[in-house]
Amino acid sequence: MSQARLSDQVYAGIVEIIKAEALEVGARLPSEAGLAEMFGVSRAIVREALVRLAADGITEARRGAGSFVKSRPSDRLAAFMPLAELPTTLGSYEVRFVLEAEAARLAAIRRTAVEMAHVEEGLALLRAALLSSAPAHAEDMELHRRIAKATGNPAFLLVFDALRSDIERIMRAGVDISRSRPPEVIATMLGEHEVIVDAIRAQDPEGAALAMRWHLWEGRRRLMP
Amino acid sequence: MSQARLSDQVYAGIVEIIKAEALEVGARLPSEAGLAEMFGVSRAIVREALVRLAADGITEARRGAGSFVKSRPSDRLAAFMPLAELPTTLGSYEVRFVLEAEAARLAAIRRTAVEMAHVEEGLALLRAALLSSAPAHAEDMELHRRIAKATGNPAFLLVFDALRSDIERIMRAGVDISRSRPPEVIATMLGEHEVIVDAIRAQDPEGAALAMRWHLWEGRRRLMP
Amino acid sequence: MSQARLSDQVYAGIVEIIKAEALEVGARLPSEAGLAEMFGVSRAIVREALVRLAADGITEARRGAGSFVKSRPSDRLAAFMPLAELPTTLGSYEVRFVLEAEAARLAAIRRTAVEMAHVEEGLALLRAALLSSAPAHAEDMELHRRIAKATGNPAFLLVFDALRSDIERIMRAGVDISRSRPPEVIATMLGEHEVIVDAIRAQDPEGAALAMRWHLWEGRRRLMP
Amino acid sequence: MSQARLSDQVYAGIVEIIKAEALEVGARLPSEAGLAEMFGVSRAIVREALVRLAADGITEARRGAGSFVKSRPSDRLAAFMPLAELPTTLGSYEVRFVLEAEAARLAAIRRTAVEMAHVEEGLALLRAALLSSAPAHAEDMELHRRIAKATGNPAFLLVFDALRSDIERIMRAGVDISRSRPPEVIATMLGEHEVIVDAIRAQDPEGAALAMRWHLWEGRRRLMP
C-alpha cells in the first residue's frame, strides 16, 4: 500500500477518534508516538496526517505541546461521506480558494457576451434545481466550471477538471447536507452564487474574487460546524 | 477540428502577423472582421483568440478602438517553441501565479524537516545543472514540484501535475532561451529560486508567496522582452 | 479654493444630477466638455471627479464612449450625509479594504491574551449597543480600532487614526441607515463582526482577513443599493 | 513615560543585546522574566516588545520555547539610525506592503495622462539624484507619493502622509546605507522603481502591485542582511 494511502487512513482514524471519544474543541490529541503505536505506522506517517488535519482546520499544532482539536467535522458530513474520503475532499478547498477566486476575477475582466450568457444560464439552472426537490450538485459544479471557462484561458478549465472528482464528491455531500437543512440555508447558498455572478456581470474583478472566496469559505464552514 | 483548436490557430496566426509585419508595441491590429476573413473563421473565434492574447500580455483591447500590440514575443522564444504551442504555454502562467504562490506560502507554514530537506536537495540539483553545461528544465520542474508537495496537501500536486506538460514545454523553452544568454541571466534565475527556498526555510509565508510570484512574473517577462 | 475642493464639488454635483434626473443604472452621463461647462470648471477637474466616481463604484468609464451610471447612491445615504461629504467618505473604503484586512490577518497571528480580551470586550460593547436603542457607531469604530491595535504594530493605529474622521462620518451614516432598517440588517452587521472576531480568536489569519474584507465590502454595498 | 515609549525602549534594548553579545541567527534570547528584570519593566511590556520584534522579522517566537534571533539588523543600519527609532521605522513597512501595493494597482487602472506625466517626472528626478552624488531620499519619497496620488483617491495620500515622517526616516537611512554600497545596489534600487512605473504606464494592475510589493520587501531586506 502506498504511503499516501497510509496517511489517509491515519487521517480518517484520527477523525474517528475525535468523533468516537467526543473530543471537544480544544481537547488534546494523543501524542505522535501514541498515535503511531495505535495505528501501527511510523511517526513520519502520523506527522503527515497531522499536517493535513491542521491544513483542513480540524486540528491545530502548538509547538512543543502537541495537537489539539480545532473544529469537529459535522455529524451530517460523516453521514454523507465515507471518512476515508474526507482528506482529499477537504484538501481540494485550499486549491479552490486561490484558483476559483482568480478565475472569477479574470472572468469579470474578460467575459465576452457569449460567456456571460453561458454563466447566467448556469445560475438559472442551479436556482431551479435548488428551489425544486431535485439534487443540485451537478448544476453547482457546472456553474463553477462555466466561470472558469469565462476566463478565456483553457488552463483554468484544465486544472478545474483535474480537481473535478474531488469537488464533485464534496459538493454532493455539501448539497445533501444542506438539503436536510432549513430553507434559509438553501437561500444562503443561492445568494452566494448570485453575488458572484452579479460581480462578473458588473465587470467588478475584486468584487467577483472576494465573493467567490467568501462562498468557498462558507461552504467549507458548512461542512465543519 | 474542435473550436479550441481553431482559436489556437488564430492566436498563433496573429502572433505570426505581429512578427512578420514587424508590428511595434502600440501598433493597431487588423479589425475583428478583417482577421475573421483573413483566417476564414467566425468573428467569435477571432474574439476568443484576442481575449487570450490580451490575457497573455501580447495585445491589449481598447474599447471601441480595437486591439493593439502590447509586447512582442521574443525572437528567441519563436526559435525554441512552435508558435502553435504558444497559447497553451503562456496561459499556464496565469494559473501558476496564484497556485504556486499559495503553495509556497503553505509550504513555509507547514513543511516538515523531511520535506524541507527534499526542497533543499531540489535546489542543489537545479544549481548544479544551471552551473554546468547540462540542460536544467527537468531540475527546475522538479524543484517547483517539491515545493507543491511540501504543502502537505496532495491537491496541489494533483493540479500541478495536470499542468505539467504545459509547464515542461515552457520551461524547456525558457531554459533554452536563457542558456543562449549571458551568465548574468543564469545567476538571476538561480537567485530567484534561492530567495523562494530561503523564505520557506525561514518559515516566512508572505515572503515565500511574494518571491514565487515575482519569479514566475520575471520568467514570463524573460519570454517576452 | 483648492483644486481638491473643486473636484469634490463636481463629484457631489454629478451625484446630484444622477439623483435629480433619476438616471438609471446604465444611463450615460453628459460628456466631459458638457460637465465642464455646466460646473464652470476645466475638463481636468471634471476628469478628476469622474475617476473618483468610478473608483467609488458610482460610475463606470467606457473607453471612447463616456461615463455611465454603475450604481445609484441610496436615498437613505443622502438623507444622512451631506452630498459634499460623499467623496471623502466613500474613498476611505478603498484604503480600509487592504489596511484592515491586513490588520485582521496580523491580529490573528500575533494577538496576545490581553489584546484578545480587549477585542472581545469591544465586540460585547458593540453587541449591546446594536441590540439596544443606543447609537452604535462609536462602538463600531472602537472595535475596528482594537483589532488594528492587536497587530502589535503601532503603524496600523497611526494610519487608522488618520482615517478616523472619514470613517466616523461613514459609520454614523451607515449605522443610522441600518437603524432605520429591519432587525435582519442589524443581525447581519453584528454577525459580520462576530465572524471576524471568531477568526482572530481561532488564530486563523486568512479567515480573519477574508471576513474583514467581506464585512467592509458589504458595508459599502449597504450604502449603495 | 507612556507605555508605548517603554516598549520601544525594551525593543531597542533587545536589539542592543543581539548586537553587543553578537548573538547569531538561531540563538535563544533571555526569557521574558529575565528580560523584564533586566529592563526593570513588567512582563507585559516585554511581551509587547517581543511581538513587535517578531513582526519586524528580527526575532521569532517558538511556542513554549521562548524567542530566538531570526535576522540581525545590519551594522550599517545602526550607524545611520538611532536604535530607539528602529521599532517605528520598521513597523511602517508592514503597512506600506499592502497600502502602496494597492495604490500602485489602482494607479495602473486609473492614472490620467496628467498623473502619468507627474509619475514619470518623479522617476526622472529620482534617477538624476541616484546617479549624481546628491542625497536621493526626498526624490524617493516624492515618487512614492505621486503614485499614491495617481490613484485619484485622496484617502491614499492622507494615509501616506500620516506615515510620512516614519517613511522619511527609513528612506534616509536606506538611501544612506545604499550610498555607501557598490554601484550595483544603486542600479538595483533604480531598476525596481522603473519596473513599477513601467507597469503603471502599461496599465498592468497586477504587475504594478507585485513590483511595488517586491520593491518594499527588498528595501526591508537591504536594512537587515
Side-chain angles (χ1 to χ4, degrees), chain A residues 8 44 47-48 51-52 54-56 63 87-88 90-95 97-99 102 105-106 110 112 114-115 150-156 158-159 162-163 166 203 213, chain B residues 8 44 47-48 51-52 54-56 63 87-88 90-95 97-99 102 105-106 110 112 114-115 150-156 158-159 162-163 166 203 213:
Chain A
D8 270 18
R47 212 168 296 127
E48 201 181 315
V51 165
R52 288 165 64 192
D56 292 339
R63 269 192 228 256
T88 34
L90 285 179
S92 66
Y93 267 112
E94 216 164 51
V95 172
F97 290 146
V98 294
L99 185 76
E102 183 69 1
R105 198 179 72 78
L106 294 173
R110 299 184 196 145
T112 58
V114 172
E115 294 294 356
T151 60
N153 179 349
F156 279 94
L158 181 74
V159 160
L163 287 173
D166 290 348
Q203 300 192 282
R213 200 170 173 122
Chain B
D8 270 17
R47 211 168 297 128
E48 202 181 315
V51 165
R52 289 164 62 192
D56 292 340
R63 267 192 229 255
T88 34
L90 285 179
S92 65
Y93 266 112
E94 218 164 49
V95 172
F97 289 147
V98 295
L99 185 76
E102 183 69 1
R105 197 178 73 78
L106 294 173
R110 299 185 196 144
T112 59
V114 172
E115 294 294 356
T151 61
N153 179 349
F156 280 95
L158 180 73
V159 160
L163 287 172
D166 291 348
Q203 300 191 282
R213 199 169 175 123

Side-chain angles (χ1 to χ4, degrees), chain C residues 47 51-52 55 63 91-92 94-95 98-99 102 106 110 112 151-156 158-159 162-163 166 203, chain D residues 47 51-52 55 63 91-92 94-95 98-99 102 106 110 112 151-156 158-159 162-163 166 203 213:
Chain C
R47 211 168 297 128
V51 165
R52 288 165 62 194
R63 267 192 229 255
S92 65
E94 217 164 49
V95 172
V98 294
L99 186 75
E102 183 69 1
L106 295 172
R110 297 184 198 146
T112 58
T151 61
N153 179 350
F156 279 94
L158 181 74
V159 159
L163 286 173
D166 291 348
Q203 300 191 283
Chain D
R47 211 169 297 127
V51 165
R52 287 165 64 193
R63 269 192 228 255
S92 66
E94 216 164 50
V95 172
V98 295
L99 186 75
E102 183 69 0
L106 294 173
R110 299 185 196 144
T112 59
T151 61
N153 180 349
F156 279 95
L158 181 74
V159 160
L163 288 173
D166 291 348
Q203 300 192 280
R213 200 169 173 123

